[in-house]
Every structure is written in C-alpha cells, then in structure tokens.
Amino acid sequence: MRSRYYKEVLAIFGKLVRMAISAVAVAGSLMAVTAGPASATSNEPSYGCPYGAVCIYNNADPNSGIQNGGVYWAYGPHNLSNQFGNHYVMNNQYGGAWVELCTGYNGTGRGESIISAGYGFVEDLSPINSIALGTGNNYPCSPP
C-alpha cells in the first residue's frame, strides 16, 4: 500500500514540477516580449531629431521642423547667429551627454540652461550666442 501511495505522490510531484517549469517559461517569454519595444525605441529620432544629435527647431513648437543647419553632432561649442525668440531645443544624445546654452561665443559667457540627454525644452535664444555639447560635469559656461 505504501509503494502505491509513494508512486502517486511522485506522479503528482512530477506534474507540479512540469507545471512550474511551464509557468516560468511563459513568464520569461512575456518579459522578453514586453521588454523588446522599450529598448528598440531608445535609439529613434525624437521630433525628427536624429538619435545622438542636438536639434534647434524653427520655433517653440517641435512640430515646426528643424532649422536649416540646426542639427549638431560633435562635442564642443557651436556658435549661433540670428537666433531670436523662443525655439524648441531637443537633446537626443545618449550616455549622459548634455547641451548647455551660453551667452557668449565659443561656449563662453554665462550658462542659461543645461539640457540633459533625452529631453527637449522651449528656450529663449535671444541672449544665446553658442551651445556646447559635452559629457561629465565640466560645463564650459556655468554656473547658470
């Protein structure tokens, strides 16, 4: 009688183990499916601004389009000219990169704003004569 009971317990235990393994496999599949799109969208353009770039738009609306010559890729200062009023500035860089808006040319003067990677804001570019792209904590025209 004991051996029959023992065989039934083993059979039930075997079914439970198979069900647990199946549940873990299903959960793992669901996690892989839900995690996929989040990582796939991280390197896409934002409002038309290419991934890895900083963009200045025609006006305060990011749907207004990027200015002619308003895409910046390289770290360091970039001089601006004839920029007045509010414009949307998008930092679509990655890895902790920032863009600083400076009142002087060549990344000098007073820092007006620092925009972190992945963010965009409406900024008054009237007092801004350059932007500086970089990483780390060495902001060329700070403190703001």
Side-chain angles (χ1 to χ4, degrees), residues 55-70 83-89 125:
C55 299
I56 297 178
Y57 292 78
N58 290 315
N59 57 45
D61 180 5
N63 295 310
S64 65
I66 299 169
Q67 287 184 346
N68 188 20
Q83 299 293 328
F84 303 102
N86 291 331
H87 293 263
Y88 191 79
V89 180
L125 296 185

Side-chain angles (χ1 to χ4, degrees), residues 35-104:
S39 61
T41 59
S42 65
N43 61 355
E44 293 182 1
S46 182
Y47 293 110
C49 186
Y51 183 63
V54 171
C55 299
I56 297 178
Y57 292 78
N58 290 315
N59 57 45
D61 180 5
N63 295 310
S64 65
I66 299 169
Q67 287 184 346
N68 188 20
V71 179
Y72 303 90
W73 294 94
Y75 290 151
H78 301 273
N79 291 329
L80 304 178
S81 60
N82 298 316
Q83 299 293 328
F84 303 102
N86 291 331
H87 293 263
Y88 191 79
V89 180
M90 178 68 206
N91 181 359
N92 204 22
Q93 299 180 95
Y94 50 88
W98 44 259
V99 58
E100 185 174 21
L101 284 63
C102 306
T103 57

Side-chain angles (χ1 to χ4, degrees), residues 1-140:
M1 178 109 165
R2 264 190 167 185
S3 66
R4 181 175 176 199
Y5 176 74
Y6 180 72
K7 287 180 183 179
E8 288 177 16
V9 168
L10 282 177
I12 292 171
F13 182 73
K15 286 181 183 180
L16 289 174
V17 168
R18 285 192 295 276
M19 287 173 42
I21 291 172
S22 296
V24 169
V26 168
S29 297
L30 289 174
M31 286 174 46
V33 169
T34 57
S39 61
T41 59
S42 65
N43 61 355
E44 293 182 1
S46 182
Y47 293 110
C49 186
Y51 183 63
V54 171
C55 299
I56 297 178
Y57 292 78
N58 290 315
N59 57 45
D61 180 5
N63 295 310
S64 65
I66 299 169
Q67 287 184 346
N68 188 20
V71 179
Y72 303 90
W73 294 94
Y75 290 151
H78 301 273
N79 291 329
L80 304 178
S81 60
N82 298 316
Q83 299 293 328
F84 303 102
N86 291 331
H87 293 263
Y88 191 79
V89 180
M90 178 68 206
N91 181 359
N92 204 22
Q93 299 180 95
Y94 50 88
W98 44 259
V99 58
E100 185 174 21
L101 284 63
C102 306
T103 57
Y105 288 102
N106 300 314
T108 63
R110 189 167 52 101
E112 290 292 313
S113 295
I114 297 171
I115 303 173
S116 299
Y119 291 92
F121 296 101
V122 175
E123 298 284 349
D124 180 9
L125 296 185
S126 297
I128 304 303
N129 287 303
S130 65
I131 61 171
L133 282 62
T135 61
N137 294 323
N138 187 17
Y139 307 110

